[in-house]
């Protein structure tokens, strides 16, 4: 496996995108970025391009503020959303253009504000530039990639799942506790408000 990185253009110097290559398969993950030539070079012909995308500034402003055209503050809200996009994010049409220049086997838009009323217009904008396979990422999306096919599935998880199993450090690698017992940080007033466990722990 080979993992490399290259510059992303997001907010300030230092952001990066990633490329993973394994067994003649490849994937690029953009992270947050505006469209850039590094991406066109690094993602050309990859199997999967996962690239961020955002709604148009007018939609972003409306969803975030509840304002509508003509409302006081509307122009300011749109201007702010546009400035954030131009500084940090890729428009729907920008994503379509990137796909048209890189031609991955599958393009996936991530970071997108996916709602019933935003997905359709986003696909329409992408299709102005690109007619290949494309999807918009949602929670629990699973991508199976082989040399012959790419499958999109949804993970099935319990709605009541515990946290993932943690790594338990050996005791000799852990610092001593900062506080002596579970009540050590409570003041006297809080301590006096605690119902004793024996009030509800016995079966009688």
């Amino acid at each position: 496996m080979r993992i490399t990185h290259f510059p992303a253009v997001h907010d300030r110097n230092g952001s990066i995108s990633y490329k993973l290559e394994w067994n003649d398969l490849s994937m690029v993950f953009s992270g947050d970025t505006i469209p850039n030539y590094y991406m066109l070079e690094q993602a050309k012909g990859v199997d999967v391009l996962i690239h961020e995308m955002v709604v148009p500034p007018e939609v972003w402003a409306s969803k975030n503020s509840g304002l509508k055209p003509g409302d006081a503050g509307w122009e300011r809200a749109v201007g702010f959303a546009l400035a954030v996009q131009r500084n940090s994010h890729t428009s729907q049409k920008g994503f379509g253009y990137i796909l048209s220049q890189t031609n991955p086997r599958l393009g996936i838009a991530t970071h997108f504000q996916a709602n019933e009323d935003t997905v359709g217009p986003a696909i329409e904008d992408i299709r102005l530039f690109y007619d290949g396979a494309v999807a918009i990422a949602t929670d629990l999306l699973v991508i199976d990639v082989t040399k012959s096919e790419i499958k999109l599935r949804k993970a099935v998880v319990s709605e009541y799942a515990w946290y993932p199993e943690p790594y338990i450090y050996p005791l000799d690698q852990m610092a001593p506790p900062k506080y002596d017992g579970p009540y050590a940080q409570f003041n006297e007033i809080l301590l006096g408000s605690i119902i004793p466990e024996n009030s509800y722990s016995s079966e009688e």
Side-chain angles (χ1 to χ4, degrees), residues 24 35 40 48 50 57 65 68 75 78 87 111 119:
D24 294 327
L40 299 191
V48 179
I50 303 174
S65 69
K68 301 181 295 298
E75 295 298 331
V78 172
N87 173 264
H111 191 277
V119 171

Side-chain angles (χ1 to χ4, degrees), residues 39-82:
M39 182 61 63
L40 299 191
E41 177 185 345
Q42 294 292 327
K44 190 171 291 294
V46 296
D47 293 287
V48 179
L49 172 54
I50 303 174
H51 198 288
E52 73 118 61
M53 176 180 78
V54 294
V55 295
E58 297 80 9
V59 176
W60 202 344
S62 176
K63 295 282 189 182
N64 276 352
S65 69
L67 297 172
K68 301 181 295 298
D71 289 347
W74 169 252
E75 295 298 331
R76 183 171 180 226
V78 172
F80 179 75
L82 179 60

Side-chain angles (χ1 to χ4, degrees), residues 75-147:
E75 295 298 331
R76 183 171 180 226
V78 172
F80 179 75
L82 179 60
V84 171
Q85 177 185 298
R86 286 182 172 162
N87 173 264
S88 297
H89 300 293
T90 297
S91 69
Q92 297 168 172
K93 292 177 182 176
F95 179 53
Y97 177 79
I98 289 167
L99 292 176
S100 75
Q101 300 301 299
T102 56
N103 198 32
R105 289 173 61 198
L106 173 65
I108 298 178
T110 189
H111 191 277
F112 184 66
Q113 304 97 323
N115 292 123
E116 290 82 356
D117 60 346
T118 62
V119 171
I123 295 296
E124 290 176 7
D125 277 352
I126 292 168
R127 291 298 184 216
L128 294 173
F129 295 90
Y130 186 70
D131 60 3
V134 65
I136 293 179
T138 55
D139 290 344
L140 305 180
L141 176 65
V142 175
I143 310 163
D144 293 327
V145 183
T146 67
K147 294 175 184 176

